[in-house]
Structure formats: C-alpha cells, structure tokens
Amino acid sequence: MAFLQKIEPYVVSGDPIVQQFVLQALEEYPHVPNEWTERLIEKAVRSHGKHREILWDLRNHSLSERALLLLIEGLKREKAGEARPYFNLLDNVEPALAIKYKAELKPYISNGTWELYELLLHGTKEEVWREYERMLALLEENVSYNDLQFRRTKKIAAALVRNGWMTEAEIDDILQAEKEEWFSFAGVFAVYAAGRLKLEKHIPLLASLLVKDDDILLEEVVSALLGFQSDAVVKAVAPYVEKQESVIFAISVLANTKSTLAVDVLKNAYRREMDDDIKSLLFEALCQQLSEEALPEINEYMEKRRNAAMIDTELIAYGFYRVMGIEHPNLEKWGQIALEKEKRYEQLQHQLPLKVPYRNVNKIGRNDPCPCGSGKKYKKCCGA
C-alpha cells in the first residue's frame, strides 16, 4: 500500500499524538491532496481555536479555493493577537485567487502585496522582470535577511516561470555560473525555478548543493528535489548522507521521497551511523516512510532508546505503530509520555512571546534543537 493510502484514514484524527505525527509526516511532502489540507484547516477553524496549532504545519501546502474560504472564516473569528498562523497560510494563496476574494482579504493583506499581485497578473514581461531585478538587488544589499522581501521575490519568480518568461536556458546559465561559488539570491531562485519546471538534468547539481552552508539555499534545494519524487533523486542524494556537512538535509530529502529505494538507503545509513543525533533523524525518516521494511531498525532504535535532542521519539514511534496498525507492548506508555511532553511544550509556549523567532548572537540552523528549550527542532518551534 502506498504512503498516501496508509495515512489517509488518519489525516484528521481524534488522537492528538497521531494527529501530530501525521502533520509532521505531511509537512514537507509535496503532493498532499488539496482535500486533505481543506479537512485539516476545517478542523483548526471550527474547533474554536483548540486545534489552531495545526495551521503552523500546513505552511508548505498549496491552498484551494475552499481552503481559502475556510481561512477567511477563521480570520473573522480570531482575536487579532492569535491570527498569525492564518497570515502565514494566506501567503500561499495564488495571486488570482487572492484578487477574487479581495473584499474579504483586504483587512489582512498589505497594500504593497495587493500592488504586487496586480503586477503579476497584469504586468508585461518587461515590467515583471524589472521588479524581479529590483527585488534581487534589495535582497543582496540588506545587511540581514529580510523574509518578507524574500517571499515577495519568490512570488515574482513563480510568475516568471509560470508565464514562460524565465527560460530553461536562463536557469541553466545561472546555475552553472554559481555552482562553484557562494550562491546569490538569483542563484537561490534559479534552484526554485528548476524545481518548478522539473528539470531532471539538474538533479545531480541540486544534490551537490546539499554541502552548502546556507539554510536559505538548502531549503530551496530540498524543496526542488522533493518535487521530483523519483529514484533518480534518491541515487543522487544517497552519497550526501555520508557527509557530515550535508547529512541533515539529505535525510530530509530521503524521508520525504516515498520509494522502496529511499527506504533501503535510509536503512543502510541507519546501520552505519554512530552519532546518536543523526541516528535519531534516520529513525524519524524511516518512520515517516510508513514502510514495514523499516520495522527491524525502528524496533531496534526503540529497544536501545538512545538520547535524542532533535526529535520527539515517543510521538514518532506511537504515530508510526498506530498508523501502520502494528501492536507493540509499549505503545500506550509511549503515547502517555508524548502527551506529557506536548503539555509541557504548550506551557512553555504560553510563557514565551507568541511565535516570535528566538534571537541569539549565534547562528541557529533550522534543523538544530530550538534554544527556547522546547525539545523540538528550531524550524518546528520558534523558527516556524
């Protein structure tokens, strides 16, 4: 049975730990059916805020018209200080769909964004390119990373690709020019465009970028590679599981590329790995594959119970066994431990400013443990 078939009965679950496991398993998977996203948003919106946290895990999902209508319904119900998860998802709405519901969305979307949408829908090729180049220059000039500018520039890149105004040849030239150097933002968006166009010839190059020390670039590389959902990606990425500088992002690609070959590569890497933190990520990746072939490694990991600073071990194990329909003598115990951890996490979040990214003089990788002390990865906590 395929990954989506196994997980479908649990997309919306009354068991909070299974629900969390499902959300994590789908968070970076690129082909989540629109109907599933709609069901999850409906649960978040119509439970009077009880399940609002679901929305944080949908930020990589595309949004249908019904999903947008549900978000609008939720926004009308929410208090101003509790609406940020909705705002994050509104950024995923396609410009044409946003314009269709401009009257309802106007209070929640800035004038600058509406101007951008009008440009993307009605501007000429020259006008859109001019704005793209202007935004690239701003990004390069900034002393620190500006996420709003980055997201707006990405929308322009998407329009250029969609309209055929950014050609394969232009993408080829940028990637070839920058592959040996530190990537500019033009290079980052060329990676994004190569993924949008499914340019398979660039799979080896994209995999080679996993060694780069640039989280912004790496997030786009992972997203582009996941879009292919092919064993060509698994073969290209497999060597990078062996390299310390690329292992975390390589595991992320393999976890979310659903194939027998990906399971085999992860199993082999798990058997070889000696570092406890990396072994825990391989365990998580194997669980998210939802494959019975991974059972020996998953059972072995839970028997030895290694220290794991980067994953919610009991939550992942409980979710895996429940979704797979496999009994285990420790299942209820894992579920109880996971529930207690979630309660402590919620208490910690209430003591912190509402989803304000943690600031520290040291660089925090998005896959590092969150320094707020929650026990979750930074990208799943304060970096969300």
Side-chain angles (χ1 to χ4, degrees), residues 116 120 131-139 146-160 166 185-186 189 192:
L116 176 63
L120 298 184
E131 180 63 9
Y132 180 63
E133 289 166 354
R134 185 184 77 85
M135 293 296 289
L136 286 177
L138 287 175
L139 285 167
N146 186 311
D147 186 60
L148 177 60
Q149 286 182 358
F150 182 86
R151 288 184 283 113
R152 287 185 173 178
T153 311
K154 192 171 181 178
K155 287 180 183 294
I156 304 173
L160 290 170
M166 183 183 289
F185 281 101
F189 290 117
Y192 168 71

Side-chain angles (χ1 to χ4, degrees), residues 28-31 60 154 171 175 187-200 202-207 209-210 216-230 232-234 237 249 252-253 256-257:
E28 295 185 62
Y29 183 69
H31 301 311
N60 294 321
K154 192 171 181 178
I171 295 166
L175 292 177
V188 172
F189 290 117
V191 167
Y192 168 71
R196 291 271 301 207
L197 290 175
K198 300 291 189 292
L199 300 180
E200 293 186 355
H202 288 309
I203 288 174
L205 171 59
L206 294 174
L209 298 177
L210 292 170
I216 297 168
L217 170 62
L218 288 169
E219 293 282 345
E220 295 303 326
V221 168
V222 169
S223 179
L225 288 170
L226 288 178
F228 294 102
Q229 286 298 300
S230 73
V233 168
V234 176
V237 169
F249 283 92
S252 183
V253 174
N256 293 284
T257 300

Side-chain angles (χ1 to χ4, degrees), residues 157-372:
L160 290 170
V161 172
R162 183 171 57 249
N163 292 327
W165 296 342
M166 183 183 289
T167 66
E168 183 176 337
E170 288 169 325
I171 295 166
D172 294 349
D173 289 344
I174 295 171
L175 292 177
Q176 287 302 316
E178 300 212 1
K179 67 179 182 179
E180 301 298 337
E181 304 296 333
W182 186 263
F183 262 57
S184 67
F185 281 101
V188 172
F189 290 117
V191 167
Y192 168 71
R196 291 271 301 207
L197 290 175
K198 300 291 189 292
L199 300 180
E200 293 186 355
K201 64 184 177 182
H202 288 309
I203 288 174
L205 171 59
L206 294 174
S208 73
L209 298 177
L210 292 170
V211 300
K212 298 285 187 179
D213 183 23
D214 180 347
D215 274 2
I216 297 168
L217 170 62
L218 288 169
E219 293 282 345
E220 295 303 326
V221 168
V222 169
S223 179
L225 288 170
L226 288 178
F228 294 102
Q229 286 298 300
S230 73
D231 281 343
V233 168
V234 176
K235 292 173 184 176
V237 169
Y240 295 95
V241 183
E242 306 298 320
K243 300 178 185 292
Q244 183 178 359
E245 64 270 34
S246 56
V247 60
I248 291 177
F249 283 92
I251 290 172
S252 183
V253 174
L254 295 174
N256 293 284
T257 300
K258 308 303 181 182
S259 77
T260 301
L261 182 60
V263 174
D264 289 342
V265 172
L266 288 167
K267 283 163 60 75
N268 290 334
Y270 176 89
R271 294 188 197 110
R272 291 190 301 268
E273 186 57 56
M274 301 301 293
D275 181 270
D276 281 350
D277 283 337
I278 301 304
K279 208 168 186 76
S280 71
L281 294 179
L282 288 163
F283 158 77
E284 179 183 41
L286 286 167
C287 287
Q288 290 181 352
Q289 282 283 346
L290 294 179
S291 169
E292 289 189 5
E293 296 301 315
L295 264 175
E297 289 73 23
I298 292 169
N299 284 332
E300 189 265 353
Y301 185 89
M302 294 308 294
E303 286 171 9
K304 294 192 174 179
R305 297 303 313 281
R306 295 172 172 81
N307 293 324
M310 300 177 73
I311 66 168
D312 298 319
T313 303
E314 290 81 12
L315 184 152
I316 293 164
Y318 179 88
F320 170 79
Y321 283 94
R322 282 293 189 218
V323 171
M324 294 294 289
I326 299 172
E327 291 299 322
H328 193 285
N330 293 326
L331 203 53
E332 295 306 321
K333 181 175 75 173
W334 296 337
Q336 189 57 43
I337 293 172
L339 272 175
E340 291 170 0
K341 284 184 178 180
E342 284 300 304
K343 287 176 183 176
R344 287 198 297 273
Y345 171 66
E346 289 173 8
Q347 291 169 355
L348 177 62
Q349 291 301 297
H350 287 310
Q351 296 167 10
L352 295 171
L354 181 62
K355 283 289 181 180
V356 175
Y358 188 94
R359 301 297 180 188
N360 193 296
V361 293
N362 298 316
K363 179 181 176 182
I364 305 168
R366 283 177 55 73
N367 284 284
D368 291 341
C370 189
C372 80

Side-chain angles (χ1 to χ4, degrees), residues 17-28:
I17 303 305
V18 171
Q19 184 72 86
Q20 271 293 99
F21 174 81
V22 167
L23 289 167
Q24 290 180 13
L26 295 177
E27 184 179 6
E28 295 185 62

Side-chain angles (χ1 to χ4, degrees), residues 28-211:
E28 295 185 62
Y29 183 69
H31 301 311
V32 177
N34 284 337
E35 190 268 338
W36 293 14
T37 304
E38 293 164 6
R39 289 168 61 191
L40 286 163
I41 293 175
E42 185 171 23
K43 179 176 181 178
V45 167
R46 295 184 176 169
S47 60
H48 304 289
K50 183 179 179 182
H51 300 291
R52 189 188 299 109
E53 69 278 1
I54 286 174
L55 300 176
W56 290 106
D57 293 305
L58 305 181
R59 58 190 177 275
N60 294 321
H61 292 215
S62 59
L63 298 181
S64 66
E65 185 168 1
R66 181 168 184 268
L68 175 57
L69 290 171
L70 286 164
L71 286 178
I72 292 170
E73 178 186 331
L75 279 165
K76 291 177 178 177
R77 295 182 180 186
E78 288 293 353
K79 298 176 183 176
E82 298 177 343
R84 187 178 165 192
Y86 291 88
F87 294 151
N88 284 357
L89 286 185
L90 286 181
D91 196 54
N92 294 356
V93 179
E94 289 295 327
L97 186 57
I99 291 291
K100 181 176 178 179
Y101 290 95
K102 185 173 182 179
E104 293 87 346
L105 292 172
K106 195 169 183 180
Y108 313 112
I109 295 179
S110 70
N111 289 334
T113 300
W114 289 120
E115 291 170 5
L116 176 63
Y117 288 170
E118 291 291 346
L119 173 67
L120 298 184
L121 291 172
H122 306 298
T124 65
K125 176 180 178 180
E126 291 73 22
E127 289 170 337
V128 175
W129 264 108
R130 192 180 305 123
E131 180 63 9
Y132 180 63
E133 289 166 354
R134 185 184 77 85
M135 293 296 289
L136 286 177
L138 287 175
L139 285 167
E140 294 292 352
E141 290 168 4
N142 290 335
V143 175
S144 58
Y145 170 70
N146 186 311
D147 186 60
L148 177 60
Q149 286 182 358
F150 182 86
R151 288 184 283 113
R152 287 185 173 178
T153 311
K154 192 171 181 178
K155 287 180 183 294
I156 304 173
L160 290 170
V161 172
R162 183 171 57 249
N163 292 327
W165 296 342
M166 183 183 289
T167 66
E168 183 176 337
E170 288 169 325
I171 295 166
D172 294 349
D173 289 344
I174 295 171
L175 292 177
Q176 287 302 316
E178 300 212 1
K179 67 179 182 179
E180 301 298 337
E181 304 296 333
W182 186 263
F183 262 57
S184 67
F185 281 101
V188 172
F189 290 117
V191 167
Y192 168 71
R196 291 271 301 207
L197 290 175
K198 300 291 189 292
L199 300 180
E200 293 186 355
K201 64 184 177 182
H202 288 309
I203 288 174
L205 171 59
L206 294 174
S208 73
L209 298 177
L210 292 170
V211 300

Side-chain angles (χ1 to χ4, degrees), residues 3-21:
F3 169 76
L4 289 178
Q5 291 175 295
K6 290 174 183 174
I7 211 165
E8 182 175 15
Y10 303 93
V11 170
V12 174
S13 175
D15 184 325
I17 303 305
V18 171
Q19 184 72 86
Q20 271 293 99
F21 174 81

